Amino acid sequence: MSDSSRDTAEGAGWGSAERGAYQQLMPPKTEKISWLDPRMLWAARNGVLASWFGDPTGRTRGRWVAQRAAAGAPADKVIRRDDPDRFSFLVVGDTGEGDDPQYAVVPGLLKAGQDTRFAVLASDVIYPVGSADDYGPKFFRPYRDYPAPVYAIPGNHDWYEDLDGFMRVFCDDAPALPPEPRPRPLTRAWLRSLLWHRPRPGTGRQLDEARKLRSDPAQQAVQPGPYWAIDAGPVRIVGIDTGLLGTLDAEQGAWLREVSRGDRPKILVTGSPLYVDGRREPCPVEGGGTVDDIVRDPAHHYVAAIGGDIHNYQRYPVRLDDGRTLQYVVAGGGGAFTHATHTVPRVDVAGVTERDFRCYPLRGDSLAFYSRLYGRRLRLPRFFTLTEAEATAVIAERLGIPPTRAQGAPAEVTRRVRLVAGLLGTGRRPDRARRFRLPVRKIYTSLFSPGSATYSPPFFKSFLRLDVSPESVRLRCYAATGNRAQELDPPVEDEVTIPLR
């Protein structure tokens, strides 16, 4: 097995490594997404409009669900499979940028997942706006050699065209919803409708051709809607749709409570993680309560909650009052730009401390990655770029923790290193963070820590493999750096066994 980033710097992808062969899988021309491009931000405006003028996704989701029910989808939205008591499946989050970081995941995913029964895409299947036109290069082509079915839950980007492309691909080519009556003039809904981004006429004409890339009967999956449950072997996997703003409408909330009942062990897959970046984000349900309340209820027998949306890997083993330990996992490293982990403060949440917390990339690697990125972007490489040893050392100093990876001689933490770490939003100990609420620091953090794409390794991407048995679920996080050394022997960055009894 390859060294992981916890073992060596080479295992993290640093050094003069040879790029992997993943580019041979890519189409001749790929779209390069930049979230600093005003045109891209304008196309993805619906999330902002929903926060300003009211979120229509609950009503739209209800219309999609009603349409699927009329077409014969099961009323309980449960997919009943014939998997044995011992089987494996993949979870991959935030995949669809269609460029180097997404395709770099594919060789390792195919190798580690060659005997899995199915895969689940957890949030943001297609960037930037979930268009049906993008499914060819960003879904069908990269996963054409994955031999099993793929299920999915939408993320906020899949909602930027009202879920049109998602429903056509994953829900039996669901026809477009009929237009709604125009809202009354001079209302918030009317203002929203004037600016709302919608699918272009004729969108998705290439879908029939794209589907030929995954045309084997064994690869086919039809799901009852944007949220669903899968009964597979001894477990139930529950996938929820958190829409544009990371919430659940009342109808889906009632379904979630109903489908969560019973003694069968359950795993939640959600587009919005419940624990992330050292915080609890319980996910409100319209009408009262939260998703996390449902997950924590001992009568529902959840053992893990896996969320996408944040483009890295994090794990929080939370011990509940009744003695159970729930594994809260962030799994959004499937292909989109890497969200920083060096901005995560020293973890102390719900009884989870640094001793228990896991993340990938390691904070030092994240800081070194971002320092190189912004050194190039600002044309100040000599000032901004930190070696991985310098980044690891300043992380240890600021958080008061020992280095995760064994080092040789410790690097010197100079004033420059500290300044760069601060500019890039590096986390601190909770007792010290309160002293640094200066507006200037907030401005620096917002300017220098936005999501940004990069097209040369290491990419610090990841995916999950879950091995299920009647006694336990073994969860492993595999890394994808984009380097040849790790391409077909992907390192295991984290592993935990979750008891089911």
Side-chain angles (χ1 to χ4, degrees):
M1 183 181 294
S2 297
D3 284 346
S4 75
S5 70
R6 292 178 169 268
D7 300 318
T8 64
E10 292 74 20
W14 300 118
S16 56
E18 182 183 0
R19 186 188 290 255
Y22 64 87
Q23 288 184 314
Q24 298 173 12
L25 306 174
M26 297 171 63
K29 293 183 179 180
T30 58
E31 176 190 25
K32 303 296 185 185
I33 291 179
S34 171
W35 296 107
L36 302 178
D37 184 343
R39 295 171 300 176
M40 201 69 67
L41 295 174
W42 175 244
R45 62 189 178 271
N46 285 2
V48 175
L49 294 175
S51 66
W52 288 352
F53 301 117
D55 184 3
T57 54
R59 184 178 67 252
T60 305
R61 183 188 296 115
R63 296 175 70 209
W64 280 121
V65 169
Q67 183 201 76
R68 294 290 295 136
D76 60 3
K77 302 172 187 61
V78 177
I79 303 164
R80 292 172 173 85
R81 295 177 48 87
D82 60 353
D83 301 298
D85 282 348
R86 298 179 186 273
F87 74 98
S88 303
F89 68 101
L90 299 175
V91 177
V92 197
D94 300 270
T95 53
E97 285 207 355
D99 50 22
D100 296 64
Q102 179 180 10
Y103 279 86
V105 176
V106 173
L109 182 148
L110 294 177
K111 180 70 179 296
Q114 59 187 344
D115 60 340
T116 53
R117 302 277 294 191
F118 58 88
V120 175
L121 301 186
S123 179
D124 290 343
V125 180
I126 300 294
Y127 294 96
V129 294
S131 173
D133 285 336
D134 288 332
Y135 269 86
K138 299 180 181 182
F139 172 71
F140 288 104
R141 185 183 181 103
Y143 309 120
R144 59 184 173 182
D145 293 325
Y146 179 66
V150 177
Y151 303 95
I153 56 167
N156 57 311
H157 287 267
D158 300 304
W159 269 100
Y160 288 161
E161 289 195 351
D162 290 337
L163 220 60
D164 175 77
F166 182 95
M167 297 297 294
R168 294 175 69 175
V169 170
F170 294 104
C171 298
D172 202 24
D173 206 15
L177 293 175
E180 289 192 287
R182 293 183 65 84
R184 289 187 296 109
L186 303 180
T187 62
R188 295 173 70 207
W190 177 76
L191 288 170
R192 183 184 65 218
S193 70
L194 293 179
L195 299 171
W196 200 251
H197 176 86
R198 296 178 176 84
R200 298 183 305 274
T203 295
R205 289 173 178 166
Q206 300 88 7
L207 267 180
D208 287 343
E209 188 66 25
R211 286 188 175 101
K212 294 177 182 178
L213 296 171
R214 282 185 51 83
S215 60
D216 190 287
Q219 295 176 306
Q220 306 312 304
V222 174
Q223 58 191 59
Y227 58 91
W228 41 259
I230 298 174
D231 282 350
V235 299
R236 170 169 284 185
I237 303 155
V238 180
I240 60 173
D241 168 21
T242 54
L244 282 170
L245 301 182
T247 62
L248 259 65
D249 61 280
E251 180 182 358
Q252 186 180 184
W255 169 85
L256 177 60
R257 291 184 176 95
E258 181 65 31
V259 83
S260 297
R261 292 174 181 164
D263 293 339
R264 194 171 194 153
K266 298 173 187 72
I267 298 168
L268 182 75
V269 181
T270 169
S272 299
L274 303 180
Y275 279 81
V276 60
D277 294 345
R279 307 183 309 273
R280 178 177 178 243
E281 301 284 352
C283 187
V285 178
E286 182 185 16
T290 69
V291 170
D292 200 27
D293 293 338
I294 299 170
V295 167
R296 286 167 173 260
D297 189 330
H300 294 158
H301 298 277
Y302 278 91
V303 298
I306 303 170
D309 188 53
I310 304 301
H311 307 163
N312 53 43
Y313 172 81
Q314 302 175 42
R315 180 169 64 83
Y316 301 81
V318 175
R319 189 169 179 82
L320 304 181
D321 293 340
D322 61 5
R324 294 177 299 136
T325 296
L326 256 170
Q327 299 292 339
Y328 290 90
V329 177
V330 178
F337 66 84
T338 299
H339 274 133
T341 57
H342 67 264
T343 57
V344 180
R346 179 168 169 166
V347 170
D348 186 6
V349 58
V352 179
T353 66
E354 282 292 327
R355 183 183 63 183
D356 314 304
F357 172 67
R358 295 291 183 271
C359 68
Y360 178 76
L362 300 179
R363 290 182 177 101
D365 291 328
S366 170
L367 179 56
F369 174 90
Y370 266 79
S371 75
R372 294 185 179 200
L373 176 65
Y374 281 100
R376 292 193 302 268
R377 173 165 294 165
L378 300 174
R379 299 183 181 179
L380 294 170
R382 292 185 64 185
F383 172 74
F384 259 96
T385 302
L386 305 181
T387 67
E388 58 87 15
E390 289 172 330
T392 298
V394 74
I395 289 286
E397 178 185 91
R398 287 174 70 95
L399 271 66
I401 59 175
T404 305
R405 183 166 60 233
Q407 304 277 3
E412 181 183 4
V413 181
T414 64
R415 292 177 64 184
R416 179 188 71 88
V417 171
R418 293 188 180 101
L419 178 59
V420 171
L423 288 173
L424 294 177
T426 305
R428 298 185 69 86
R429 294 190 290 257
D431 59 330
R432 292 191 175 187
R434 290 191 296 271
R435 304 177 194 173
F436 290 88
R437 289 181 174 172
L438 298 175
V440 171
R441 187 177 184 278
K442 291 184 179 180
I443 292 171
Y444 281 160
T445 302
S446 63
L447 283 175
F448 289 101
S449 297
S452 305
T454 181
Y455 300 106
S456 59
F459 294 127
F460 298 111
K461 300 289 94 189
S462 58
F463 62 92
L464 306 184
R465 174 182 168 122
L466 289 88
D467 302 309
V468 179
S469 74
E471 298 78 31
S472 65
V473 174
R474 180 191 187 194
L475 182 152
R476 282 176 284 178
C477 172
Y478 284 91
T481 66
N483 290 326
R484 188 175 293 271
Q486 293 98 10
E487 189 167 57
L488 292 179
D489 187 13
V492 176
E493 287 291 333
D494 187 32
E495 179 174 338
V496 62
T497 298
I498 307 168
L500 296 184
R501 297 180 178 177

